[in-house]
Amino acid sequence: MTLGAHFLDDLSRRHNAVALALYAVNGIHGRNVGAPVHEEVTEGRRRQWEQALRAGQAWAKAMPQGYHSCGDLVAWVLARLGCRDESLVNRDNAGGTRAWVPGRNLTAIVGHAAFVRGTTATEPQPGDAVFLAMNGGHLDVLIEWDTVARLATVAAYGQPYGRRRTRPIGKRGKAWTLDGSEVGGWLDLDRVRFDGPVDMSGVVR
């Protein structure tokens, strides 16, 4: 493969990642619990938690801040792009053999070799999963990073449902901030290995 072909592959993958993330949040309209795409992305876990909480089940009441599905969005986008690395993709339905593991949605991302502990000397690119060190951690899929307007457009799940959001970009020392929360780094899509087929079903292109 030539360098040019590799570069075009990376651009195409980032374009697909952004398209998938926007599909997951239904553009400006959002996706709520119960919507088929929301349930596909989260594998039903947010809905299960809400139902268990209403029923007074102890395990749900022990999670007063709820089930956070931000990592589900990242894992879903990676799986749809053809990533079969189960140390990175924490899902039941990811084309592998491992089941979803509680607590690994964030740690699988920030602990991976493709995760960049970025500073203001670099910037995340569209399609990267950006980690915010807020309330135990949160992940967004970056749609656009506009340093001129000082705004980042992201696809986000887990606050509580799927939404496209605009976050002000700032600086704190050598770190970027979004919405005032420090950016701990990002998953560089170009460093991720993709072995499987790309699945863009449902996405209008």
Side-chain angles (χ1 to χ4, degrees), residues 45-66:
R45 285 182 285 271
R46 174 75 194 195
R47 174 175 49 81
Q48 291 168 9
W49 175 82
E50 291 190 4
Q51 291 174 342
L53 185 67
R54 288 195 294 269
Q57 295 185 21
W59 70 267
K61 293 169 67 176
M63 300 170 62
Q65 294 185 341

Side-chain angles (χ1 to χ4, degrees), residues 35-189:
V37 174
H38 183 281
E39 299 310 299
E40 178 189 335
V41 170
T42 63
E43 297 185 309
R45 285 182 285 271
R46 174 75 194 195
R47 174 175 49 81
Q48 291 168 9
W49 175 82
E50 291 190 4
Q51 291 174 342
L53 185 67
R54 288 195 294 269
Q57 295 185 21
W59 70 267
K61 293 169 67 176
M63 300 170 62
Q65 294 185 341
Y67 173 78
H68 297 291
S69 54
C70 59
D72 287 333
L73 173 63
V74 175
W76 178 83
V77 169
L78 290 170
R80 282 286 205 109
L81 289 173
C83 180
R84 297 295 179 261
D85 181 354
E86 291 186 283
S87 70
L88 180 60
V89 179
N90 185 35
R91 284 181 69 77
D92 285 331
N93 184 20
T97 58
R98 292 185 189 176
W100 176 82
V101 178
R104 288 201 68 248
N105 275 4
L106 287 174
T107 59
I109 302 298
V110 301
H112 196 270
F115 186 79
V116 176
R117 300 195 178 278
T119 68
T120 52
T122 56
E123 298 173 4
Q125 300 299 310
D128 289 342
V130 179
F131 174 69
L132 303 180
M134 56 184 283
N135 301 323
H138 173 78
L139 291 165
D140 286 332
V141 176
L142 183 64
I143 304 301
E144 182 182 17
W145 183 275
D146 188 338
T147 50
V148 176
R150 302 189 71 79
L151 291 173
T153 303
V154 302
Y157 263 55
Q159 297 183 327
Y161 307 134
R163 295 290 187 271
R164 190 183 78 171
R165 301 190 183 279
T166 301
R167 303 193 189 279
I169 299 172
K171 292 183 180 180
R172 184 177 299 145
K174 294 183 178 181
W176 293 111
T177 64
L178 292 181
D179 271 349
S181 296
E182 188 169 311
V183 174
W186 51 86
L187 187 75
D188 185 345
L189 208 60

